[in-house]
Amino acid sequence: MSTDPQNIFLVGPMGSGKSTIGSRLAQKMGLVFYDCDREIEKRTGASVKLIFEIEGEAGFRNRESRMLEELSQKRGVLVATGGGAIVSESNRALLRNSGIVVYLRTSVRQQIGRLRRDHSRPLLQTGDKESKLMELAMTRNPLYEEVADLVFPVRDSNIEVTVGQMYLALCDFRRQKEANALPPDAAGAGS
């Protein structure tokens, strides 16, 4: 990997593993880990669920945008974004211009398995979680794809295996990006 600690932003739906994978990957890469939702909770002293109840989704999204702006100003960080952070065009532009964006792609089936007992997600406070997750996937998955530099399919494998595979994928991505940035004659200069 490059010695320049470029920021990494994880995007993807709830239950894709952004926080769990992100914290371990940041440690492996020597980056400082931030979970955007947890940072909002620390700052406000309220849970995301309570913020949704009091301020509505629009109020929460405003807080989320401000937090992303703040976190993107840091260097050498890995940020787990909220699942809906990419809905805003300005957030997508900010992410694209602030580091490497990795989309953790997962299936609705995987999400249901991971979120089965989770009652903290405001958008899943419905009787039919599967329908809600499918609806969110239809609108958000294209936006995750649009903003991503790298798409990483999350499988149901051991977390350490997943983190290792993602680390290698990021190493390959950075090497390829650096090679593409070289002037055409510099690539063959050492031959």
Side-chain angles (χ1 to χ4, degrees):
M1 286 242 181
S2 164
T3 55
D4 174 29
Q6 187 172 13
N7 294 343
I8 296 172
F9 296 88
L10 302 183
V11 300
M14 62 182 100
S16 61
K18 296 182 300 289
S19 299
T20 306
I21 293 168
S23 64
R24 295 193 184 180
L25 183 63
Q27 188 175 30
K28 185 173 183 73
M29 298 180 74
L31 300 173
V32 179
F33 176 70
Y34 291 95
D35 179 303
C36 193
D37 287 352
R38 297 301 81 78
E39 293 302 311
I40 292 169
E41 289 177 338
K42 280 188 216 172
R43 183 77 46 91
T44 62
S47 68
V48 169
K49 186 177 180 181
L50 183 60
I51 295 169
F52 261 77
E53 288 173 12
I54 294 171
E55 299 180 357
E57 186 173 358
F60 175 76
R61 296 293 171 214
N62 285 333
R63 288 181 182 279
E64 182 176 57
S65 293
R66 289 195 307 269
M67 183 57 68
L68 277 176
E69 176 73 36
E70 184 179 319
L71 294 174
S72 71
Q73 299 303 311
K74 298 180 180 292
R75 291 291 155 251
V77 299
L78 191 152
V79 178
T81 66
I86 47 73
V87 171
S88 159
E89 171 55 45
S90 60
N91 285 352
R92 292 195 305 276
L94 176 71
L95 292 170
R96 275 192 294 271
N97 294 319
S98 300
I100 299 170
V101 181
V102 181
Y103 167 26
L104 299 185
R105 186 170 56 204
T106 190
S107 69
V108 169
R109 179 194 59 77
Q110 288 171 309
Q111 286 179 275
I112 289 171
R114 292 178 182 146
L115 300 170
R116 183 175 42 252
R117 293 185 193 93
D118 188 333
H119 301 288
S120 68
R121 314 279 178 153
L123 295 180
L124 288 186
Q125 304 308 307
T126 175
D128 189 357
K129 288 183 181 182
E130 184 173 3
S131 290
K132 184 61 177 181
L133 290 170
M134 293 193 63
E135 173 192 324
L136 290 171
M138 286 180 64
T139 58
R140 293 178 177 181
N141 287 358
L143 300 176
Y144 298 133
E145 293 274 351
E146 172 194 319
V147 76
D149 293 303
L150 180 65
V151 177
F152 185 83
V154 179
R155 296 180 176 79
D156 291 326
S157 55
N158 173 292
I159 184 69
E160 296 307 323
V161 169
T162 300
V163 169
Q165 291 170 340
M166 197 164 165
Y167 176 79
L168 292 175
L170 279 161
C171 287
D172 288 345
F173 174 81
R174 282 186 167 171
R175 268 193 297 274
Q176 196 171 32
K177 189 174 178 183
E178 288 169 3
N180 290 340
L182 291 174
D185 57 340
S191 310

